[in-house]
C-alpha cells in the first residue's frame, strides 16, 4: 500500500471544476446545459495579444526565462501599476507567475505552519482555506456578511488577530460574492494593522478592473506604512480573458522577494516565454476590449440581479465588482448543495453551492454571469420552473 503524507488529507479542491466536469458529461449525453458555474470570461483574448504571443514563438522565444519573469514584462507591470493605481513599485519586486493561484500558494506556504493562524474571507475563494490547511496552519474565517454587501468589517478583522496570526488574506472585488470593500473600510483596516506589525497581508486584486457604477479600485499597496508586508496578487486572466494562458503577476516586499523567487525555481522554473510577451502587449496595447467586456458584464449584472430577485424564495444583493451574483436561497427551503444538484440534473443549469466557498456560504448560490444575456435569461427561467 502506498503511504502518502498526512498533509494530502488536508488538501481541498475547487468545486467549480467538478461541476464543470459534470456539466460537460451531461452535455456529451445530449443534454442542453447552460453553464453559470465556471468563473471565466466568455470573450476571446483580444487579437493583438494573441498575435504578440504567436510572434514571440516565431521570433524564437522558446527557452527558459528568468524565474521572476522577463525584465520587460516586470517593467510593464510596474508602469501599469503607477499609471492605473498611482502606486510606484520597483520592477525587481514584481514576480511573474503561471496564474494567480501560485501567488496565494507561495504566500500561504511562506507563513503557514502548525501553530500559526491565517485569516481568510469566508465565503471566499476555496483555495485559500485548502492551502492553509495543507500547511498545518489554523484557518481563521473572516465572515463576509450579506447585509454589508459582502464587504468585511475592519473592526471584526482586527478583533480576530492574535499573536499567532501570520497572514491576513483580503479579496476585493471578491469571488464568489462580487463584494467590493469600500475605501473607508480599507482605510480603517490599514490603520488598525499598524498596531500588528507581525501580520503580513495578501491582497488578492485579480478582479481590480471589473467594477461597476463608476467605482474606483483601491490598491492595498497604496498604504505606505504597510508596504513592507503587503503581497499583491493580480494578473491577466479575468481582465483580458486570458484564463488559459496561465499568466499572473505579484508584487512582494523586498524581504520576501527572494523567497518568492526561490519558490518559483523549485515549483515551475519560469513562466511560459511566449505568454509573457503576450502579457506585455495586453498591458501596453489598446484597452478597448477590456472596456467592452466590462460594459457587457454591467448589462448582465443588471439582468441577473433583477431576474434573481423575482424568483420565489430568492434575494440577491447587487455585486460591486467581478462577474458573480451570490443570491440568498434560504427562502427555498433547500440547502445550497441540494439546490445546485437539482438545478444541474433536472434543469440543465450549472451553478455552484455557496458551501463550496466555505461553511459560511450555506444558504447561498454562486452564479457566474460570464455568459450571454440570452443564456442568463433562459437559465433563470429554468430556475423559476424548478422553484415554482
Amino acid at each position: 500500500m502506498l503511504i502518502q503524507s498526512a498533509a494530502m488529507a488536508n488538501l481541498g479542491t475547487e468545486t467549480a471544476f467538478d461541476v464543470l466536469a459534470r456539466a460537460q458529461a451531461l452535455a456529451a449525453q445530449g443534454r442542453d446545459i447552460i453553464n453559470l458555474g465556471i468563473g471565466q470570461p466568455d470573450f476571446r483574448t483580444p487579437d493583438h495579444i494573441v498575435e504578440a504571443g504567436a510572434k514571440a514563438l516565431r521570433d524564437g522565444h522558446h527557452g527558459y526565462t528568468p524565474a521572476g519573469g522577463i525584465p520587460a514584462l516586470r517593467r510593464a507591470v510596474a508602469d501599469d501599476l503607477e499609471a492605473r493605481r498611482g502606486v510606484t513599485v520597483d520592477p525587481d519586486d514584481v514576480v511573474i507567475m503561471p496564474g494567480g493561484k501560485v501567488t496565494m500558494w507561495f504566500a500561504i506556504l511562506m507563513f503557514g505552519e502548525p501553530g500559526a493562524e491565517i485569516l481568510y474571507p469566508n465565503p471566499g475563494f476555496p483555495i485559500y482555506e485548502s492551502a492553509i490547511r495543507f500547511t498545518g496552519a489554523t484557518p481563521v474565517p473572516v465572515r463576509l456578511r450579506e447585509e454589508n454587501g459582502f464587504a468585511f468589517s475592519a473592526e471584526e478583522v482586527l478583533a480576530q488577530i492574535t499573536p499567532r496570526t501570520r497572514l491576513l488574506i483580503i479579496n476585493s472585488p471578491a469571488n464568489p460574492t462580487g463584494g467590493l470593500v469600500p475605501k473607508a473600510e480599507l482605510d480603517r483596516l490599514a490603520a488598525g494593522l499598524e498596531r500588528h506589525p507581525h501580520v503580513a497581508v495578501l491582497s488578492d486584486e485579480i478582479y481590480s478592473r471589473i467594477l461597476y457604477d463608476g467605482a474606483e479600485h483601491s490598491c492595498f499597496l497604496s498604504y505606505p506604512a504597510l508596504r513592507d508586508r503587503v503581497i499583491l496578487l493580480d494578473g491577466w486572466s479575468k481582465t483580458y480573458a486570458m484564463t488559459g494562458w496561465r499568466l499572473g503577476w505579484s508584487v512582494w516586499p523586498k524581504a520576501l522577494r527572494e523567497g518568492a523567487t526561490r519558490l518559483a525555481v523549485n515549483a515551475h522554473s519560469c513562466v511560459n516565454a511566449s505568454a509573457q510577451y503576450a502579457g506585455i502587449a495586453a498591458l501596453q496595447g489598446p484597452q478597448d476590449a477590456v472596456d467592452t467586456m466590462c460594459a457587457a458584464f454591467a448589462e448582465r449584472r443588471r439582468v441577473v440581479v433583477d431576474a434573481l430577485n423575482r424568483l420565489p424564495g430568492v434575494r440577491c444583493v447587487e455585486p460591486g465588482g467581478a462577474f458573480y451574483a451570490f443570491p440568498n436561497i434560504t427562502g427555498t427551503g433547500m440547502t445550497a448543495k441540494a439546490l445546485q444538484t437539482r438545478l444541474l440534473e433536472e434543469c440543465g443549469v450549472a451553478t455552484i453551492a455557496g458551501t463550496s466557498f466555505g461553511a459560511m456560504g450555506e444558504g447561498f448560490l454562486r452564479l457566474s454571469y460570464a455568459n450571454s444575456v440570452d443564456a442568463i435569461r433562459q437559465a433563470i427561467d429554468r430556475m423559476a420552473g424548478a422553484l415554482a
Side-chain angles (χ1 to χ4, degrees), residues 112-183:
E113 64 180 352
E117 295 178 351
I118 297 179
L119 277 63
Y120 72 101
N122 193 324
F125 187 56
I127 303 305
Y128 301 147
E129 183 177 355
S130 172
I132 294 166
R133 291 191 183 281
F134 182 81
T135 68
T138 300
V140 179
V142 173
R143 181 181 286 275
L144 303 182
R145 302 179 187 278
E146 181 185 18
E147 58 267 29
N148 295 339
F150 296 109
F152 61 71
S153 160
E155 181 181 2
E156 289 185 3
V157 173
L158 294 167
Q160 291 179 275
I161 293 176
T162 74
R164 295 182 298 278
T165 305
R166 300 278 186 85
L167 179 68
L168 163 65
I169 302 174
I170 60 177
N171 176 212
S172 177
N175 177 11
T177 64
L180 182 66
V181 180
K183 186 178 187 303

Side-chain angles (χ1 to χ4, degrees), residues 354-385:
T355 46
S356 296
F357 305 97
M360 295 173 184
E362 182 57 88
F364 296 89
L365 204 65
R366 191 192 79 172
L367 283 71
S368 167
Y369 49 88
N371 207 326
S372 70
V373 168
D374 287 345
I376 291 168
R377 285 178 170 147
Q378 185 179 356
I380 296 181
D381 282 347
R382 294 184 188 183
M383 293 173 65

Side-chain angles (χ1 to χ4, degrees), residues 30-112:
R31 293 280 304 277
D32 178 21
I33 304 296
I34 301 174
N35 197 335
L36 303 184
I38 197 69
Q40 70 173 344
D42 61 326
F43 295 86
R44 290 171 52 91
T45 303
D47 289 343
H48 71 281
I49 300 174
V50 175
E51 176 53 31
K55 183 177 184 300
L57 291 173
R58 291 195 298 268
D59 290 347
H61 295 290
H62 306 155
Y64 292 124
T65 69
I70 60 176
L73 181 54
R74 297 165 85 174
R75 164 56 67 185
V77 168
D79 289 345
D80 190 71
L81 265 174
E82 184 167 12
R84 296 188 191 283
R85 304 186 205 178
V87 175
T88 302
V89 301
D90 184 342
D92 288 341
D93 295 338
V94 175
V95 180
I96 306 303
M97 299 289 192
K101 279 181 179 173
V102 185
T103 298
M104 66 183 73
W105 184 253
F106 285 2
I108 292 167
L109 284 178
M110 279 188 185
F111 292 98

